[in-house]
Amino acid sequence: MQSKQLFLTSFFLHISLLLCAQKIETFNLSGYVKDTFGKPISGATIYIRELDKGTTSDVDGSYQFLKLKNSNLNVRVSSVGYHSETKTLNLSTNENSFLDFQLRRDEKSLAEVSVVGQSLNQRKVQEIKQSGYAVNVIDLTTQVDKVADLNQLLRRSPGVTIRENGGMGSDFSFKINGLDAKIFIDEVPMENYGSSMTLNNIPINLVDRIEVYKGVVPAYLPTDVLGGAVNIITKRRNKQFFDFSYGYGSFNTHQASLIANMRDAKTGLMVKADAFFNHSDNNYMMYSNPKYGINLDGYFKSFVDEETGIVQNQLVKVDKARRFHDAYTSGMGKLEAGFENVKWADRLLFGLSYSENNKEIQMGSNIKSVYGGRWSENKFLTPSIQYRKNGLFLPDLYVDVFASYGDSRTEVRDTAKYLYYWSGIPQSNGTFKEEAYDQIINKSYIAKTDFSYNLNKKKSQVINLSYNLSTNQQKNFDMMKTEEYREINSRPKRLNKHLINLAWQGQWLDEKLSSVVFFKYYGMDNSYTADERKYDSDGKLISGDVVQYNNYKDYKSGGLTLRYLLKKDVGIKTSLEKSYKLPSVEQLYGNVVYVLPNVDLKPEESNNVNLGMFYNVYFNDQHFINVDVTTFLRNTNNYIQMVSAGNYYRYSNLDGARLYGIEFDAKYGYKDLFRVNVNGSYDKAIVTKLQTGESVDKEGSILHKQLPNRPYLYGNVDVSIGKNDWLGKGTRIELTYMNQYTHKFYMSWDNLASQETKLYIPSQDVHSAILSYSWKHNKYGISMEARNFTDERLYDNFGLQKAGRAFYTKLRMSIF
């Protein structure tokens, strides 16, 4: 028996060894292609001579080969504007290997101006930048380990101001050069994705780059605003890809994101899933500061007056108090499926996204109105379809079509019968307030088409035509009112917008001169119901009726951009435009939470001028310097501003305003070891027209006065020091210091109070630092951030305080 067992064991052992010897081993190879400054090189060609296989690097510089069948390989990488590099790879059995490349630029390359030191994120907008648009590009492929949301990154861009009412999930206003700007996600307006998809919600791991256009914007971004536009480009890979991150920090803040991308190279079938989750208690400390008119009401104290013997109450201020009703939670899931890079379509995608958020509301428009039971909840569902094709019907015709439907449902409740003091004690005073319960249903539709046609083979003359239709229908239900009241006041409020843009882009004088001439048409169709009935004391109708208002107005504008290269590294650019900003649904009809309606709001009209210069130089393949300087002028009629109205805000028109200023952005880098970025912005806003009913000699006239409650001088400094392979091959450690400065500004008109009593927002100097470490060739990463580590007191809209010192950490895993 024992000899039989030994025989069988020996037999199966020999069979196993024979099968293993006959098995052909396969290996996977992946890595990154970067330049000497550590920036990704996209579109580089990676070729394996022995296997006659090739691929190209992705937007983040990554590449991948699967199931290679040779252990000794010569891998060659080449890219226009760079010296090629070849490395020999010896693969071990059953091992997945990494091979990174760092290419040196080719001084003799004719294309170096457009490619040197730039990732694909920057090169994709190079054509637009060369056309005269004033645009900044924020490349996020090198910032994936940061905890920050998009708001915190964008506010570091010159000319951008973001005014927040509080912490995570709070309402905010976004402006470029002092005027409203439109925000897009992959060229689709952000409002199409619901209130959970906002700049202070979206994790940076979902994004590849951000394009910030100032003033004039490209034709494919349908916008009706004056300040410019922001286009957020989300991650999209041509390979299997998985990225997960999780962050935790002060105020019980949680931030998680996930991206999963699968694509079959043979059929082009692609499935992509994005998701994120955010939560914060936002329970940071608030402080009284009488110098700036900020006083926290703590409680009423009863005492007996010694002279009269009468019991009296005294309102006691407290030095500090913690926010106790300001938690915020949001989540989003998006699924896309379709085909990419097939013969009949560059992209055909069907998408479905769902988002939800719950927000406790701590305050109204000022620190005196403290809530303890007010909250809002929003649920948003949107299906979408997109089709793109280059060479549709005609070889030089490009077509992009997008359509979506959005269903948004919001509830706003206040179950408390009191307002509160900052101590958490109800402000009873023997009176009660009514419970509030409102429902808002908003249905929106977007249809967007974009056509581009090359007039010659060099693609130096291009015609672009785009049309965008957006429609919003909003219903408000006050659930605490009678059924008759709800039936009348919940009738749909509609706002439809039509935007047509026709543009001609040309290259002249051996491409030294670029120009864009464009024409725009705006159409606005809005309708709403107003209850204009008046009753006497007995409840009898005196006059008026329920009236339905329908309005349609159209506007036309045009403009021009020019760019001229003085040298290969130096150029000047300018843009001129007459533009309109149509009111939004929220500005016209309010949102119940913070904003009151103003159906009489007029569109803004502005004549805009930008003039700038740029200088880019790379030398010794070790240093780069980039300098951009831009001046701007905006002469605006019916300037839309947000004003305080009790516990709420309201948007109103200012008859005329002139906005002007200058900004600069300077960068220096040494290899991939050191980077410094300094930028600054100065923009003033002056009233240019008498307001209705005013006269020049009227006391308190605001003519020629600076607009209040807005910063006008601000800047940033970022310094980074990093080292590759210091703690082992495939590792990188980096330390970044960030400083943000905002000069003091007044909260009221400078002629309506004395200098001694005038309330103002003090100058603010915020210091932050991030330490990040990645390993396994950027597969894993961890970062730690100290935000506002000097605990500066930060204030924003009308003196509302933001969070002080905070600490965060983040873990990331990326697999492809």
Side-chain angles (χ1 to χ4, degrees):
M1 179 65 70
Q2 186 175 7
S3 61
K4 185 177 180 180
Q5 290 176 341
L6 289 173
F7 171 79
L8 291 175
T9 301
S10 177
F11 174 79
F12 285 114
L13 178 61
H14 280 79
I15 291 295
S16 299
L17 291 174
L18 181 63
L19 291 175
C20 289
Q22 293 179 344
K23 181 180 178 181
I24 299 177
E25 299 292 346
T26 60
F27 313 93
N28 296 332
L29 172 65
S30 59
Y32 288 88
V33 182
K34 298 183 179 181
D35 65 10
T36 54
F37 302 102
K39 295 181 180 179
I41 299 176
S42 179
T45 299
I46 303 94
Y47 178 71
I48 301 176
R49 184 179 60 191
E50 290 79 6
L51 303 179
D52 193 25
K53 279 191 173 184
T55 187
T56 57
S57 56
D58 214 325
V59 66
D60 57 353
S62 65
Y63 73 92
Q64 183 181 51
F65 289 99
L66 299 177
K67 298 182 179 180
L68 301 181
K69 298 180 180 180
N70 196 316
S71 60
N72 296 305
L73 306 174
N74 288 292
V75 184
R76 184 177 184 271
V77 175
S78 60
S79 182
V80 177
Y82 296 89
H83 289 288
S84 301
E85 184 177 359
T86 300
K87 290 184 179 182
T88 300
L89 179 66
N90 296 315
L91 292 174
S92 302
T93 305
N94 296 325
E95 182 180 280
N96 294 326
S97 290
F98 295 93
L99 194 61
D100 294 337
F101 291 84
Q102 195 167 43
L103 303 185
R104 297 180 296 108
R105 72 187 181 107
D106 185 359
E107 296 284 354
K108 298 180 180 180
S109 173
L110 297 176
E112 69 174 350
V113 175
S114 63
V115 299
V116 171
Q118 295 182 347
S119 68
L120 179 65
N121 284 337
Q122 295 164 312
R123 291 204 296 273
K124 280 187 175 179
V125 298
Q126 185 68 24
E127 183 178 345
I128 298 171
K129 295 177 67 175
Q130 295 293 319
S131 300
Y133 294 103
V135 57
N136 290 342
V137 180
I138 304 174
D139 188 350
L140 299 189
T141 57
T142 59
Q143 304 189 52
V144 291
D145 289 321
K146 290 186 176 179
V147 187
D149 56 43
L150 298 189
N151 254 358
Q152 295 162 28
L153 292 177
L154 276 168
R155 70 174 63 230
R156 308 193 68 78
S157 182
V160 172
T161 54
I162 299 176
R163 314 291 306 284
E164 291 180 295
N165 291 348
M168 176 186 286
S170 64
D171 285 2
F172 65 91
S173 63
F174 181 90
K175 294 182 181 294
I176 298 177
N177 297 146
L179 292 170
D180 285 343
K182 191 88 167 181
I183 302 171
F184 296 84
I185 300 178
D186 295 325
E187 302 173 14
V188 177
M190 176 180 278
E191 60 262 29
N192 185 61
Y193 294 98
S195 61
S196 293
M197 288 284 282
T198 64
L199 292 178
N200 57 2
N201 264 358
I202 303 175
I204 64 174
N205 288 66
L206 299 183
V207 180
D208 267 331
R209 75 177 183 272
I210 306 174
E211 304 163 6
V212 183
Y213 298 92
K214 302 170 184 180
V216 181
V217 303
Y220 60 81
L221 295 178
T223 177
D224 59 324
V225 293
L226 307 182
V230 172
N231 191 22
I232 299 168
I233 308 300
T234 59
K235 275 186 169 66
R236 194 173 296 277
R237 300 290 184 263
N238 291 322
K239 57 179 181 289
Q240 321 299 359
F241 179 77
F242 177 84
D243 185 283
F244 173 77
S245 69
Y246 174 75
Y248 176 76
S250 299
F251 321 119
N252 193 30
T253 299
H254 302 258
Q255 293 176 286
S257 68
L258 182 145
I259 306 172
N261 190 95
M262 294 171 288
R263 184 177 183 274
D264 182 75
K266 293 183 179 180
T267 64
L269 179 64
M270 192 273 291
V271 178
K272 181 173 181 283
D274 297 339
F276 68 74
F277 171 81
N278 298 303
H279 174 82
S280 181
D281 290 345
N282 288 323
N283 57 340
Y284 56 86
M285 197 68 73
M286 303 278 290
Y287 296 89
S288 288
N289 200 329
K291 181 179 180 181
Y292 309 127
I294 300 170
N295 296 289
L296 304 178
D297 296 336
Y299 54 91
F300 262 104
K301 177 182 179 181
S302 298
F303 67 94
V304 178
D305 189 290
E306 295 181 355
E307 295 183 1
T308 62
I310 299 175
V311 177
Q312 296 187 3
N313 293 322
Q314 178 184 8
L315 182 59
V316 178
K317 311 293 184 181
V318 293
D319 293 332
K320 62 182 180 179
R322 188 171 295 279
R323 297 168 80 104
F324 57 89
H325 183 73
D326 205 28
Y328 176 80
T329 304
S330 68
M332 186 280 295
K334 181 180 180 181
L335 181 66
E336 291 180 309
F339 296 87
E340 282 193 338
N341 300 324
V342 293
K343 290 184 178 180
W344 43 272
D346 297 337
R347 179 182 296 173
L348 175 62
L349 290 180
F350 299 90
L352 181 67
S353 64
Y354 175 79
S355 62
E356 188 173 317
N357 66 70
N358 185 286
K359 176 166 60 176
E360 295 178 350
I361 301 172
Q362 179 71 89
M363 295 184 298
S365 64
N366 56 72
I367 61 172
K368 297 295 184 181
S369 52
V370 183
Y371 299 121
R374 189 170 174 83
W375 53 270
S376 69
E377 183 179 68
N378 174 263
K379 298 179 180 180
F380 192 91
L381 178 69
T382 178
S384 64
I385 182 173
Q386 182 181 41
Y387 177 78
R388 287 182 178 179
K389 182 70 175 79
N390 193 17
L392 182 67
F393 305 130
L394 298 172
D396 294 308
L397 179 64
Y398 169 81
V399 178
D400 184 1
V401 180
F402 177 87
S404 70
Y405 163 75
D407 186 289
S408 173
R409 297 176 184 267
T410 304
E411 288 191 354
V412 182
R413 299 287 300 266
D414 192 342
T415 56
K417 296 184 178 297
Y418 315 94
L419 290 174
Y420 285 75
Y421 296 116
W422 280 107
S423 60
I425 300 174
Q427 297 183 24
S428 58
N429 297 328
T431 60
F432 300 92
K433 68 179 183 65
E434 294 182 359
E435 179 181 352
Y437 180 16
D438 292 276
Q439 291 183 348
I440 306 169
I441 298 177
N442 191 299
K443 297 183 178 181
S444 59
Y445 306 85
I446 288 181
K448 175 180 176 291
T449 58
D450 184 38
F451 302 92
S452 292
Y453 184 74
N454 298 312
L455 298 177
N456 57 19
K457 293 183 178 180
K458 295 177 61 177
K459 299 181 180 180
S460 60
Q461 305 292 324
V462 181
I463 294 292
N464 181 277
L465 175 65
S466 65
Y467 170 69
N468 185 80
L469 168 65
S470 63
T471 175
N472 285 271
Q473 176 183 283
Q474 180 173 304
K475 292 183 179 181
N476 296 352
F477 299 88
D478 189 337
M479 306 305 291
M480 305 305 295
K481 300 292 186 180
T482 64
E483 185 174 341
E484 179 187 4
Y485 178 92
R486 289 203 304 270
E487 192 279 326
I488 295 174
N489 290 276
S490 64
R491 292 178 182 178
K493 305 175 181 67
R494 293 185 178 88
L495 177 62
N496 301 329
K497 293 182 181 180
H498 305 266
L499 299 176
I500 301 175
N501 193 339
L502 177 64
W504 172 29
Q505 179 178 318
Q507 302 278 345
W508 319 89
L509 303 177
D510 294 328
E511 299 185 358
K512 288 185 177 180
L513 177 65
S514 293
S515 66
V516 177
V517 180
F518 58 91
F519 169 82
K520 287 185 178 182
Y521 171 85
Y522 311 79
M524 183 176 74
D525 177 18
N526 69 305
S527 63
Y528 61 93
T529 301
D531 188 352
E532 299 179 352
R533 295 175 297 180
K534 295 182 180 179
Y535 299 88
D536 60 18
S537 57
D538 296 326
K540 293 182 179 180
L541 180 64
I542 301 175
S543 62
D545 202 349
V546 177
V547 182
Q548 178 71 31
Y549 288 94
N550 297 281
N551 301 293
Y552 185 88
K553 295 182 179 180
D554 60 353
Y555 309 89
K556 303 175 183 66
S557 71
L560 168 72
T561 76
L562 294 170
R563 184 275 300 157
Y564 184 76
L565 289 177
L566 301 173
K567 295 181 179 180
K568 67 176 183 179
D569 298 322
V570 183
I572 57 176
K573 52 188 175 181
T574 186
S575 59
L576 309 136
E577 178 187 29
K578 180 178 181 180
S579 185
Y580 290 88
K581 194 276 180 191
L582 307 181
S584 66
V585 173
E586 180 178 282
Q587 291 173 338
L588 285 174
Y589 304 133
N591 67 3
V592 177
V593 183
Y594 286 113
V595 182
L596 296 175
N598 183 1
V599 294
D600 296 322
L601 198 65
K602 302 175 183 176
E604 287 179 319
E605 175 187 353
S606 184
N607 295 311
N608 302 332
V609 179
N610 287 317
L611 178 62
M613 63 82 61
F614 58 90
Y615 172 70
N616 302 289
V617 62
Y618 298 82
F619 50 95
N620 299 330
D621 205 27
Q622 295 181 336
H623 308 268
F624 79 85
I625 296 176
N626 169 249
V627 179
D628 284 276
V629 179
T630 303
T631 61
F632 65 90
L633 172 66
R634 314 274 191 262
N635 281 318
T636 305
N637 296 322
N638 299 318
Y639 176 81
I640 296 177
Q641 60 178 344
M642 184 173 66
V643 298
S644 180
N647 294 333
Y648 294 85
Y649 299 106
R650 174 184 281 114
Y651 291 92
S652 66
N653 290 114
L654 195 64
D655 288 352
R658 177 181 295 115
L659 295 88
Y660 59 92
I662 185 170
E663 61 188 48
F664 76 93
D665 190 18
K667 300 182 178 71
Y668 167 76
Y670 174 69
K671 292 185 175 179
D672 57 0
L673 301 176
F674 177 77
R675 295 190 308 273
V676 60
N677 180 200
V678 180
N679 64 60
S681 304
Y682 172 83
D683 65 82
K684 298 283 282 186
I686 305 297
V687 178
T688 57
K689 290 185 178 182
L690 287 171
Q691 304 308 293
T692 304
E694 277 195 347
S695 60
V696 177
D697 57 352
K698 177 184 177 182
E699 183 179 357
S701 173
I702 60 175
L703 184 64
H704 304 313
K705 303 302 180 184
Q706 163 75 11
L707 267 66
N709 192 44
R710 63 184 301 276
Y712 65 92
L713 180 62
Y714 44 95
N716 302 275
V717 177
D718 291 5
V719 181
S720 295
I721 301 174
K723 178 67 174 173
N724 291 328
D725 302 329
W726 189 30
L727 300 177
K729 189 171 181 59
T731 67
R732 178 171 179 82
I733 188 167
E734 185 170 286
L735 176 64
T736 302
Y737 163 77
M738 299 174 292
N739 174 262
Q740 186 171 43
Y741 174 79
T742 304
H743 194 63
K744 76 172 186 179
F745 56 94
Y746 292 105
M747 286 193 287
S748 60
W749 298 98
D750 59 11
N751 61 321
L752 299 183
S754 66
Q755 294 292 327
E756 294 77 17
T757 61
K758 192 183 307 180
L759 299 180
Y760 66 93
I761 302 297
S763 296
Q764 299 170 82
D765 200 13
V766 185
H767 306 267
S768 301
I770 299 176
L771 178 64
S772 62
Y773 171 65
S774 63
W775 66 99
K776 287 285 186 180
H777 298 264
N778 209 36
K779 182 177 181 180
Y780 303 102
I782 183 172
S783 65
M784 293 173 287
E785 179 177 354
R787 194 175 300 169
N788 187 17
F789 58 75
T790 57
D791 204 22
E792 182 85 5
R793 299 288 181 265
L794 304 180
Y795 303 96
D796 221 318
N797 278 327
F798 302 102
L800 296 182
Q801 187 181 327
K802 298 192 294 183
R805 182 188 296 118
F807 299 94
Y808 301 91
T809 186
K810 176 180 176 180
L811 298 171
R812 178 185 59 83
M813 177 178 67
S814 183
I815 301 174
F816 62 88

